[in-house]
Amino acid sequence: MSVHIHGQCEASVLDGVLFFPVTPFTSEDSVDLPILSEHVRRGVTAGAGGVFVACGTGEFHALEPREYADVVRTAVATAGGRVPVYAGAGGALPLARQFARAAAEAGADGLLLMPPYLVQAPPAGLVAYVTQVAAATDLPVIVYQRGGARFDVASALDVARLPRVVGFKDGLGDLDQLSRIVTAVRAETEASGKDFQFFNGMPTAEGTVPAYRGIGVDLYSSAVFCFAPEISLAFHRAVTGGDDKAVQRLLAGFFHPLIALRERTPGYAVALVKAAVRQSGLDVGGVRPPLTDPTPEDLAELARIVEAGRAICAAEATR
């Protein structure tokens, strides 16, 4: 659900399958904006509930500020206000503030604030980081808990109280701790009337969707939507419609094999997605170092897994 303001889409409440496009690179290692536009267009046309550009799947870590601004501007123009466009931000505090301002200038509807890299920070430091980045823009902010960015209940409450923070995304998978955060934050935000959402941000999130839904976290990132929206949407229909058998068939026949392949090599959470987009017929190029592209053997297995997933979807459509 969204409303339009000043030609943009104010993403007060997100719903549906959230699309995290890859960032295409040319053979000369520049950002391929026409291909990015086509990638985003296909995703929005396929039924994405929101576009999260230049985030983890979009290799935010590998983009310099000018490229980043071009990527966000292209995604916003292509989406055309049909769905909200969130942009990644993060890293060193001065750069995170710069990215936040650039996203606003490029017309983004919100930010996904990713962790500062390398450092292990205490919860109080993370609260200060979020506070200062949020102060650099008037965009709504979703805070991403992952890697070295680990919030406890008290610090999660502190960031949820910030006026611009509208969501909390988890990429750690500690459901016991997250359940306590969800319960505490929801009690406070519901009492105050603030719209606040929680997101499952695990790699290949569909694999943990049933567990996250068990603690009240229904929204999730779908990297699979980049290359096989029909599989992503079929899973979303099954899980939201309570079709547990279809959920299990898709997990067993597609998502779990994809997760097993992803775990073979660090960085495959991005590299496999980008390779699958190429296999689907859109030349988005390879990943930038320090990530590496999949081996020929892994590419062949990836193609088999995607083919199996599409076969399951076709079978489900006839039931």
Side-chain angles (χ1 to χ4, degrees), residues 27-211:
S27 57
E28 290 77 33
D29 194 39
S30 61
V31 175
D32 195 329
L33 296 176
I35 293 292
L36 173 64
S37 181
E38 176 61 14
H39 185 36
V40 172
R41 186 196 67 78
R42 292 184 184 185
V44 173
T45 301
V51 176
F52 282 69
V53 69
C55 295
T57 307
E59 295 179 81
F60 166 77
H61 68 277
L63 299 176
E64 54 92 4
R66 186 179 304 172
E67 291 177 324
Y68 170 89
D70 288 342
V71 164
V72 178
R73 192 175 298 107
T74 298
V76 168
T78 303
R82 289 172 290 172
V83 296
V85 176
Y86 273 69
L93 179 58
L95 281 173
R97 289 192 295 243
Q98 181 179 343
F99 285 126
R101 289 189 289 265
E105 291 169 2
D109 299 298
L111 295 175
L112 177 63
L113 183 55
M114 294 180 286
Y117 291 98
L118 295 178
V119 295
Q120 283 286 128
L126 294 172
V127 172
Y129 178 82
V130 174
T131 301
Q132 292 193 41
V133 177
T137 175
D138 61 359
L139 293 178
V141 176
I142 297 168
V143 175
Y144 198 177
Q145 169 175 258
R146 187 168 178 176
R150 295 171 176 260
F151 292 81
D152 55 20
V153 173
S155 57
L157 280 166
D158 284 342
V159 297
R161 290 172 184 138
L162 295 171
R164 306 222 186 282
V165 175
V166 299
F168 189 88
K169 183 177 181 180
D170 178 69
L172 296 179
D174 183 344
L175 295 187
D176 175 65
Q177 174 77 338
L178 182 62
S179 178
R180 284 178 271 161
I181 289 173
V182 169
T183 301
V185 171
R186 280 217 172 115
E188 184 161 312
T189 55
E190 288 175 2
S192 68
K194 180 179 183 179
D195 286 330
F196 196 92
Q197 295 185 287
F198 287 90
F199 305 78
N200 171 358
M202 295 294 287
T204 321
E206 285 90 346
T208 54
V209 161

Side-chain angles (χ1 to χ4, degrees), residues 208-291:
T208 54
V209 161
Y212 274 78
R213 288 177 66 87
I215 61 168
V217 179
D218 296 341
L219 289 165
Y220 58 92
S221 312
S222 182
V224 169
F225 190 88
C226 286
F227 60 87
E230 70 276 25
I231 300 175
S232 180
L233 291 167
F235 181 86
H236 187 263
R237 286 192 299 269
V239 78
T240 56
D243 189 345
D244 294 339
K245 290 184 178 179
V247 168
Q248 291 306 311
R249 281 191 285 267
L250 284 163
L251 287 174
F254 173 73
F255 287 103
H256 288 167
L258 181 64
I259 290 167
L261 179 59
R262 183 201 76 207
E263 290 178 345
R264 285 186 189 170
T265 302
Y268 264 20
V270 175
L272 283 177
V273 173
K274 208 162 193 182
V277 176
R278 291 196 303 274
Q279 289 179 343
S280 73
L282 192 62
D283 186 7
V284 293
V287 292
R288 278 180 171 169
L291 302 184

